[in-house]
Amino acid sequence: MTKLAFLREVLLTLESAHLSRLMRTLDSPQRAHVTCDGRDLLMLASNSYLDLSGDPDVKTAAAQAVLEWGVGSGGSRLTTGNTGVHEQLETALARFKGSDAALIFNTGYMANVGIISSLCGQNDAIFSDELNHASLIDGCRLSKANVHVYRHNDMSDLERAIRDSGFDPSHARGLVISDAVFSMDGDVVNLPQLMGLAEKYHLLSMIDEAHATGVLGATGRGTVEYYGLQSKPDILMGTLSKALGAEGGFVCGSRDLIEFLKHRARSFIFSTALAPASTVAARTALEILERHPERVQSLRRNIECFCDALAQEGIPTQSQSAIVPIIIGDEQLAVSVSQRLFADGYFISAIRYPTVAKGKARLRVALMSSHTETELRGAARAIARALRQERELTRTP
Ligand SMILES: *Cc1c(COP(=O)(O)O)cnc(C)c1O
């Protein structure tokens, strides 16, 4: 046995459980239509919900930023990597979210890991939704705090978990964390009740708006706008990499929170600052979103149209977000349906364990504001057909 033989064993086990991963190669920008492995496809799997990743104005601004600032930022924000464009983006984000201040991280993943591990330590308590994103889970692990997982979006189970934990705010910090829009189910956190419980039990509240920014609320400002709340969670985190089509993560909150994170969040401190071009791209995308809230409304119309079309095909679904999951269950079936759709001209991802629980495999459709009604109705028909055909195949021995 060689030292590395276990690698092959693990890979073979994954293969026999239909859990091998395949990376498709795109030959075009991330827009509503893409070319991939030599085919033209309707993109129904992208997080670029407002189709801003390949937007001409965003591209021009980023290209000009390269000419003006160069490519890499050359250092951590705390050493040499901080520029005016980083600060302008933070100002714009804070204004957009109605917060006092903001801080950008290199990715949403790094934001979550850095925020949680700096705010909480060994004696503290974190209450975390069972379907929270992996980056939140990893932040919890890194913090070494006591993590109490509550049932998905179940606020009475959250209250039970808080009581059972014996959390005492006079001796420790407490933090409740949730995705705003759950990334594989597309449902929305019960924010009013979550914030009520956070208030009642003296817990900090943190919401991850990765899939809510640019999507929820009439102007895409996220969950606070969606629910019309007067107050905000203490920590509002989001990404620049999804609806805003660029890359990076951010957090909005009080000035003290942001100052604290600059001093303590290790993923902020010990990593080279985001490239100026990415920063400018995100700011330009944010400006477009602020000037054109009708993009958010187009996305909303598309969500309604697509769910309606699926229902007409006998697949009842609903979603408040750009994510429309079609639960299939069996891992192999989900993959074969997705492959058939690919051959039919649709890029739709099959999501399997470990991203979702075993036996909960699904197609995860992600909509864009720029899809047309004709395209979406065609996609719903193709999905229903592919499902029927693949189910037939698995039935015949
Ligand atoms: C994508 C995602 C992240 C990570 O953001 P990146 O910028 O891609 O690193 C964090 N949280 C949630 C809920 C996400 O969906």
Side-chain angles (χ1 to χ4, degrees):
M1 285 272 268
T2 72
K3 280 186 298 181
L4 295 176
F6 76 96
L7 298 174
R8 185 106 301 270
E9 272 170 39
V10 170
L11 293 171
L12 286 172
T13 314
L14 288 172
E15 202 177 307
S16 58
H18 305 286
L19 293 173
S20 297
R21 306 293 296 252
L22 160 86
M23 286 199 275
R24 295 214 181 268
T25 310
L26 269 86
D27 309 307
S28 70
Q30 188 97 169
R31 307 219 64 178
H33 293 265
V34 296
T35 2
C36 176
D37 296 337
R39 313 186 72 94
D40 289 330
L41 301 165
L42 184 68
M43 172 51 86
L44 284 164
S46 173
N47 294 327
S48 184
Y49 304 125
L50 300 176
D51 205 1
L52 285 167
S53 157
D55 181 276
D57 290 343
V58 174
K59 285 198 293 189
T60 305
Q64 277 168 357
V66 169
L67 298 180
E68 192 176 341
W69 294 97
V71 181
S73 64
S76 158
R77 293 283 299 284
L78 294 173
T79 59
T80 61
N82 186 40
T83 69
V85 295
H86 293 88
E87 294 178 358
Q88 283 158 21
L89 175 59
E90 287 170 342
T91 306
L93 285 164
R95 196 190 54 229
F96 181 69
K97 292 279 185 182
S99 297
D100 293 340
L103 187 66
I104 48 180
F105 287 75
N106 292 347
T107 64
Y109 185 99
M110 290 171 74
N112 280 337
V113 166
I115 295 163
I116 300 169
S117 63
S118 58
L119 286 173
C120 290
Q122 220 142 38
N123 297 318
D124 299 327
I126 301 179
F127 301 91
S128 172
D129 188 290
E130 65 179 335
L131 294 190
N132 273 348
H133 189 261
S135 55
L136 295 169
I137 296 171
D138 291 357
C140 292
R141 290 181 180 161
L142 201 56
S143 76
K144 302 199 181 77
N146 300 309
V147 181
H148 308 271
V149 175
Y150 61 89
R151 281 208 300 271
H152 174 52
N153 216 2
D154 181 337
M155 293 302 123
S156 49
D157 197 53
L158 169 58
E159 183 154 30
R160 179 212 47 82
I162 299 168
R163 289 193 177 172
D164 287 359
S165 72
F167 168 68
D168 176 359
S170 54
H171 288 103
R173 272 179 225 153
L175 173 68
V176 53
I177 311 181
S178 178
D179 278 21
V181 168
F182 289 85
S183 47
M184 295 303 139
D185 293 69
D187 54 340
V188 181
V189 63
N190 185 339
L191 189 61
Q193 280 193 32
L194 183 143
M195 283 178 60
L197 289 172
E199 220 33 59
K200 180 172 172 189
Y201 292 99
H202 213 76
L203 302 165
L204 294 167
S205 52
M206 171 170 175
I207 299 294
D208 175 340
E209 299 214 290
H211 301 280
T213 301
V215 176
L216 288 190
T219 63
R221 281 172 165 73
T223 28
V224 173
E225 183 184 29
Y226 175 81
Y227 283 112
L229 299 180
Q230 297 306 313
S231 57
K232 279 187 275 299
D234 299 302
I235 303 138
L236 261 183
M237 173 274 169
T239 62
L240 306 167
S241 56
K242 287 171 180 157
L244 292 171
E247 61 177 355
F250 67 88
V251 57
C252 291
S254 69
R255 281 185 199 288
D256 281 353
L257 172 74
I258 300 310
E259 245 357 84
F260 173 92
L261 291 173
K262 284 180 189 165
H263 289 84
R264 287 289 161 80
R266 294 169 64 85
S267 60
F268 174 82
I269 301 166
F270 297 106
S271 189
T272 299
L274 205 59
S278 302
T279 312
V280 169
R283 200 189 72 222
T284 309
L286 190 61
E287 282 165 11
I288 293 174
L289 170 57
E290 287 192 277
R291 266 187 281 119
H292 299 284
E294 66 273 12
R295 278 186 188 242
V296 181
Q297 285 137 33
S298 301
L299 178 61
R300 185 127 316 273
R301 267 199 305 282
N302 282 350
I303 296 162
E304 281 163 20
C305 162
F306 184 64
C307 290
D308 175 63
L310 280 177
Q312 284 182 21
E313 296 294 333
I315 306 171
T317 37
Q318 55 166 357
S319 183
Q320 295 301 311
S321 70
I323 301 161
V324 183
I326 299 166
I327 311 288
I328 291 182
D330 184 72
E331 277 76 24
Q332 195 181 359
L333 183 60
V335 172
S336 54
V337 173
S338 152
Q339 281 166 350
R340 187 180 282 268
L341 284 164
F342 191 85
D344 288 349
Y346 296 97
F347 194 127
I348 301 179
S349 308
I351 307 284
R352 289 164 288 166
Y353 178 83
T355 309
V356 295
K358 280 193 178 136
K360 291 254 173 83
R362 65 199 61 188
L363 298 178
R364 175 186 183 275
V365 176
L367 300 172
M368 287 184 178
S369 55
S370 53
H371 288 134
T372 67
E373 180 169 347
T374 314
E375 287 167 350
L376 295 178
R377 296 204 178 271
R381 276 194 299 279
I383 291 168
R385 192 171 55 231
L387 256 169
R388 269 196 309 274
Q389 287 167 335
E390 288 301 325
R391 284 211 170 107
E392 278 308 309
L393 283 180
T394 50
R395 258 188 227 122
T396 40

